[in-house]
Amino acid sequence: MAGLFSKLTKSAEEEPVEVPEPAPLAPIRAGDLERRIELLDSLEDAGLGWFWASDSKGRLIYLSAAARVRLGLEEADVVGKPLAELFQPDDDPNADNTARPLKFVLAAHNSINPMTVRISGTERETWWEIAAKPQFDENDHFLGYRGNAKDVSATHESRRDAEKLSRYDSLTGLANRYLMTKQLTSTLTVFKTAKRSVALMMLDLDRFKQVNDTMGHPAGDELLKQVAARLKRIVGDKGEIGRLGGDEFQVMLPDMDDRGDLGDLGQRVIQMLSQPYSINGMRAVIGSSVGIAVAPYDGIDADELVKAADLALYSAKGEGRGQYRFYSSDLKEGVKHRHQIEEDLRDAIAKSELQMHYQPIVDATTHRVECMEALMRWEHTERGMISPADFIPVAEDVGIIRELGEWALNEVCHQVKSWPETVRAAVNVSAVQFASDDFVKIVRHALQNSQVNPGQIELEITESVFVGDLDRTLRLFRELKDLGVKLALDDFGTGYSSLSYLRDAPFDKIKIDQSFVRGCSADDNNNAAIIAAIVSLAGALGMETVAEGVENKDELTMVKKQGASHLQGILFSRAVPPKDVLERFERGEFEYEPKGPDRYRPDRRTEFRRIGLIHDDHRYKVVLRNLSKTGAKIEGLLDVPVGTQVVIDLGGGQLAVATVRRSEGISQGVEFETPLITDGAEGLCTRHRVSPYQIEAAGRPLAKLDNDAYAALAGNLKGSAKAFIEVEIGSGAKASA
Ligand code: C2E
Ligand code: CA
Ligand code: CA
């Protein structure tokens, strides 16, 4: 044994020296202290194992000299130093810290089972695996620890590298799905006890596939890296970002539950990610959709929360891209709906359920129709009319948009043949359709088959076709123009606008998106100035301008004043079936008279929703007729005095404090104390909700919010007599104005 150790300690010697054969040693007996110490010394010197000991106060009183020398420390640096100071815990946030922290073990005088610690005060990062047993005297007084240690720096580092690799996405350096899930799970566990909240954002890039397909995979990779960098800049130290794979990202935001702030952040993420990217000198534009869920409101554990955020994301994508959406329990309905659309859409053409309707685009001065926009209509046998805003995105996702688009083009070309030469038809072209190689061929065939005059066909193309290969896009534009058709740039100003490409693209017309027209006469926005700017830009480039979505006289006055050359909107006409168009033309009626309300009503939508109204200790059932950010119109209670303070229960734990401002019979107008915020899509919601922790405190088990969160919170309300008379309102009942 000793021979082996002495050989090892001599390994540093340069020259092998002639050693005389040693005499065989006698066995070491337990009483032979001197030789036992010699044995231990050689073990220490070899670095095979080191020993250490501490006193009852937890201070180091012994450390193998070889260990100290290896650390490059003086005896004074270590002896007398508290163990808890010398042995640092692994503070890598991703380390498996399942063992109890050393501090607690030491304080409890427990055994130290092998654990890895970092040695403080050393120049090179050094990791030891330590183990020790507490020592007690016969009266059970703690004397200190006796332990051993070995240097595991090398293995620790390589293990950490490997872990890093399997926990981080190698492309972007962000946490991967495994790590995100792990972090989310542990955060939720800790936060549950502390009654804190965690928000989860799921995000997915729109049109990323297009970049990958048209610009190549290395470009796609570069894009993902840039997306990650932008995300880091936006999120900062507010949360953890991960890439789950493909173009899916996740952001975990501790202590965020204000949906106003979350919505702002979601909006900022969408805005930042939709700014153009420069990739190897090429320009790429993508969008993103965001789904948001908050624990404990929308889910308690990681699985539940991720599912909720996923559903919200799914719904955001379905609503048209470039939106955020909060989770709400009725989203589940929406998903079923989407699957249904996916399935049925495949047969819609064959079953002749699709039709093209037409909406006039009129000259701004004469109100004479110059063009009809063809808008697809789908009358589902069971569901009735389904909006193209609902089924076109699905068709794009599942790849049937090309078929639908080709059908629409042929249909329109045939119908236009029976129109007067003075009226054109505009066909919408999805960016996905535009990206397919045979698009020009399909247009050429449609023109040839129908023998329509190509000058009578206009193609409406959105800005999103400027994704990827700009040269290809411009070449396609030229080829289309050579066929004789006209080109219009649709939805101008909705996110991908770059004025530089407008100069080179041969558009005949720019369509100003409805969002700039809507409420452009209200004085709290700069829409009028934007419209004026677009009009003058188009003028300089020799293009016409269409103001889309003109709904009322105020908007009409404003867009005319800003100089739009053409107008479209329900103020003139909705889209109507081909038969109605023909009849009108046969009667020689080409002028449209504006018919509609005088002014814009901000954000008011007629609803019929059963909600709750809480007054004193009573929760009344009422019907919501109108909801805006600042107030609501409700029905169902008789003669509620003006000035009454109530709480409106919008469901799902959304309580809004309100004051009755108008009251007439069964109908009341209430004003919210704190304005509602947008839920990202069309709806409104409260910033804050009843917390499941509050409900838990009221004696229920912790669970995500259900629709009747208030009842759970309030238990069985009794108390004073009802102050108001409830009147049953049916869905057919008319709102009394
Ligand atoms: P878009 O191209 O921006 O079409 C204009 C939309 O605004 C139409 O909605 C039209 O009905 C609506 N609209 C017109 N005037 C007013 C108004 O005064 N107020 C309001 N609030 N809305 C007005 P629609 O028909 O629901 O179509 C929605 C979108 O679906 C279209 O937006 C277009 O992007 C897409 N789409 C419709 N038909 C087709 C098609 O045949 N092919 C493709 N690729 N997309 C289509
Ligand atoms: Ca359009
Ligand atoms: Ca449009």
Side-chain angles (χ1 to χ4, degrees):
M1 282 291 262
L4 173 69
F5 287 128
S6 50
K7 225 185 240 159
L8 277 169
T9 45
K10 277 179 187 153
S11 65
E13 287 172 17
E14 300 291 302
E15 296 279 302
V17 262
E18 208 47 47
V19 187
E21 187 84 8
L25 291 172
I28 301 172
R29 309 236 173 260
D32 191 346
L33 274 184
E34 196 179 324
R35 286 186 58 209
R36 278 178 65 196
I37 288 173
E38 202 185 287
L39 178 65
L40 290 178
D41 279 349
S42 55
L43 185 68
E44 287 186 320
D45 288 345
L48 283 181
W50 296 319
F51 302 108
W52 57 269
S54 68
D55 64 10
S56 62
K57 298 267 159 42
R59 290 175 302 222
L60 198 74
I61 50 172
Y62 174 79
L63 177 64
S64 302
R68 210 185 68 234
V69 172
R70 181 78 87 77
L71 291 175
L73 298 176
E74 296 297 320
E75 186 152 16
D77 293 336
V78 284
V79 172
K81 198 164 180 172
L83 288 182
E85 222 174 87
L86 184 68
F87 300 147
Q88 294 289 314
D90 190 348
D91 51 10
D92 179 350
N94 308 310
D96 243 318
N97 277 326
T98 41
R100 289 181 69 199
L102 181 62
K103 255 200 329 216
F104 295 113
V105 174
L106 293 176
H109 304 158
N110 288 343
S111 294
I112 302 175
N113 295 319
M115 71 160 69
T116 307
V117 293
R118 191 165 53 78
I119 307 303
S120 68
T122 55
E123 219 161 90
R124 264 195 46 237
E125 205 170 276
T126 305
W127 295 89
W128 280 7
E129 188 181 276
I130 57 168
K133 285 261 179 266
Q135 309 292 313
F136 299 94
D137 68 10
E138 58 273 24
N139 296 322
D140 255 3
H141 288 130
F142 175 67
L143 297 175
Y145 281 101
R146 305 285 179 270
N148 64 352
K150 67 178 178 208
D151 192 317
V152 293
S153 300
T155 42
H156 181 80
E157 242 150 65
S158 61
R159 201 197 68 217
R160 215 169 39 166
D161 284 351
E163 260 168 28
K164 244 194 151 128
L165 275 182
S166 64
R167 284 156 186 259
Y168 290 91
D169 166 36
S170 53
L171 181 65
T172 60
L174 296 175
N176 66 12
R177 183 188 292 271
Y178 168 78
L179 180 55
M180 278 310 273
T181 310
K182 198 171 141 78
Q183 283 180 335
L184 185 64
T185 308
S186 59
T187 307
L188 284 172
T189 310
V190 175
F191 276 34
K192 196 155 50 178
T193 341
K195 307 214 177 311
R196 289 161 67 181
S197 59
V198 182
L200 189 68
M201 242 180 217
M202 295 287 269
L203 64 275
D204 173 300
L205 307 180
D206 300 332
R207 289 181 306 277
F208 171 71
K209 195 175 168 319
Q210 233 169 298
V211 173
N212 234 359
D213 291 351
T214 57
M215 297 172 69
H217 287 268
D221 283 356
E222 175 58 27
L223 181 70
L224 289 173
K225 276 195 217 165
Q226 293 190 22
V227 165
R230 287 188 194 183
L231 275 177
K232 277 190 207 152
R233 232 176 306 143
I234 307 165
V235 174
D237 53 12
K238 282 200 282 290
E240 278 307 315
I241 313 168
R243 175 171 169 241
L244 305 186
D247 60 349
E248 257 190 312
F249 294 83
Q250 193 179 58
V251 185
M252 177 177 83
L253 300 150
D255 294 314
M256 273 191 77
D257 64 357
D258 182 325
R259 291 194 287 182
D261 295 344
L262 282 168
D264 289 346
L265 187 64
Q267 194 57 46
R268 212 155 55 241
V269 166
I270 291 166
Q271 256 167 18
M272 289 285 284
L273 295 190
S274 60
Q275 300 299 313
Y277 297 78
S278 166
I279 293 168
N280 309 329
M282 285 211 276
R283 189 183 129 93
V285 188
I286 53 163
S288 71
S289 305
V290 174
I292 307 170
V294 191
Y297 306 85
D298 306 318
I300 305 289
D301 57 30
D303 200 38
E304 216 174 16
L305 193 64
V306 168
K307 272 203 189 110
D310 253 342
L311 269 176
L313 173 62
Y314 202 49
S315 145
K317 282 166 71 86
E319 297 279 347
R321 292 87 201 285
Q323 292 192 337
Y324 67 85
R325 185 86 148 97
F326 294 119
Y327 169 79
S328 91
S329 51
D330 42 78
L331 290 182
K332 287 196 200 106
E333 254 320 291
V335 170
K336 263 193 252 146
H337 188 58
R338 198 178 146 108
H339 285 310
Q340 193 69 50
I341 288 181
E342 238 173 79
E343 270 172 35
D344 296 350
L345 197 51
R346 298 181 192 275
D347 313 323
I349 301 182
K351 285 163 85 185
S352 307
E353 288 180 347
L354 295 177
Q355 238 199 332
M356 299 309 288
H357 283 202
Y358 296 91
Q359 184 180 33
I361 299 172
V362 304
D363 180 284
T365 358
T366 63
H367 296 180
R368 208 183 150 84
V369 58
E370 287 195 358
C371 182
M372 293 292 240
E373 176 171 2
L375 294 160
M376 204 178 281
R377 295 293 176 257
W378 179 16
E379 178 139 26
H380 190 283
T381 33
E382 283 142 42
R383 293 180 174 273
M385 276 295 185
I386 300 180
S387 162
D390 287 337
F391 71 81
I392 296 284
V394 178
E396 288 176 341
D397 277 355
V398 300
I400 32 184
I401 188 67
R402 294 181 195 179
E403 229 177 301
L404 288 190
E406 188 172 354
W407 173 84
L409 204 57
N410 283 306
E411 186 78 1
V412 173
C413 285
H414 273 106
Q415 285 171 350
V416 170
K417 292 240 303 174
S418 9
W419 296 2
E421 288 261 302
T422 50
V423 187
R424 291 192 301 272
V427 185
N428 287 287
V429 177
S430 147
V432 178
Q433 243 176 306
F434 191 82
S436 81
D437 286 333
D438 53 0
F439 180 62
V440 177
K441 203 172 83 195
I442 287 171
V443 176
R444 191 185 304 117
H445 280 169
L447 295 172
Q448 280 166 356
N449 290 345
S450 60
Q451 291 294 305
V452 72
N453 165 20
Q456 243 177 307
I457 298 295
E458 205 168 281
L459 300 179
E460 291 196 4
I461 296 168
T462 59
E463 294 167 296
S464 50
V465 300
F466 289 98
V467 169
D469 191 343
L470 190 61
D471 290 339
R472 174 184 182 269
T473 303
L474 294 177
R475 197 184 66 238
L476 281 199
F477 285 161
R478 281 259 68 92
E479 287 175 20
L480 290 169
K481 288 290 287 188
D482 289 346
L483 293 178
V485 299
K486 295 207 167 349
L487 298 183
L489 183 56
D490 203 358
D491 301 345
F492 185 75
T494 50
Y496 309 100
S497 327
S498 159
L499 301 178
S500 60
Y501 62 59
L502 258 193
R503 239 190 0 237
D504 305 320
F507 288 110
D508 301 283
K509 189 186 259 189
I510 294 178
K511 299 190 78 176
I512 305 168
D513 190 67
Q514 315 205 354
S515 54
F516 299 108
V517 176
R518 188 80 51 255
C520 64
S521 52
D523 35 57
D524 61 346
N525 64 49
N526 52 5
N527 285 351
I530 295 174
I531 295 176
I534 300 176
V535 167
S536 76
L537 169 81
L541 296 167
M543 301 174 189
E544 295 177 340
T545 40
V546 180
E548 281 192 90
V550 181
E551 286 186 354
N552 60 54
K553 305 260 171 66
D554 265 4
E555 287 164 5
L556 177 67
T557 313
M558 183 56 75
V559 294
K560 276 189 177 180
K561 190 170 144 206
Q562 304 309 331
S565 65
H566 292 78
L567 311 171
Q568 179 183 5
I570 56 174
L571 187 69
F572 294 100
S573 170
R574 296 179 181 280
V576 296
K579 165 173 82 58
D580 297 14
V581 178
L582 268 186
E583 282 172 10
R584 198 180 168 109
F585 290 167
E586 276 161 12
R587 289 198 302 271
E589 288 173 31
F590 293 101
E591 271 164 39
Y592 283 82
E593 194 195 324
K595 273 194 216 122
D598 285 340
R599 65 178 49 80
Y600 168 65
R601 308 261 318 268
D603 255 5
R604 280 209 173 266
R605 291 169 306 125
T606 319
E607 310 222 9
F608 181 92
R609 219 166 108 196
R610 295 193 189 274
I611 57 163
L613 181 147
I614 299 146
H615 177 257
D616 280 349
D617 280 349
H618 280 290
R619 185 178 186 279
Y620 299 88
K621 290 195 188 92
V622 295
V623 163
L624 179 69
R625 280 298 191 182
N626 245 324
L627 186 66
S628 75
K629 286 190 176 170
T630 51
K633 189 167 143 190
I634 52 154
E635 281 174 14
L637 293 185
L638 207 53
D639 300 329
V640 183
V642 168
T644 306
Q645 287 271 340
V646 296
V647 174
I648 303 290
D649 180 358
L650 294 165
Q654 306 185 85
L655 302 183
V657 178
T659 309
V660 176
R661 292 295 179 210
R662 278 185 329 274
S663 183
E664 214 176 287
I666 57 158
S667 162
Q668 278 78 38
V670 302
E671 183 188 11
F672 298 128
E673 195 178 87
T674 315
L676 302 185
I677 54 162
T678 156
D679 68 359
E682 302 256 275
L684 296 169
C685 62
T686 57
R687 271 178 177 266
H688 299 283
R689 287 175 283 174
V690 173
S691 166
Y693 294 134
Q694 277 169 276
I695 298 174
E696 185 190 25
R700 304 257 177 146
L702 186 62
K704 66 178 194 165
L705 290 173
D706 65 9
N707 228 10
D708 216 3
Y710 176 76
L713 181 64
N716 298 324
L717 287 179
K718 280 188 206 79
S720 53
K722 281 187 183 180
F724 311 117
I725 298 167
E726 265 176 310
V727 181
E728 181 61 30
I729 309 275
S731 59
K734 267 251 187 254
S736 54

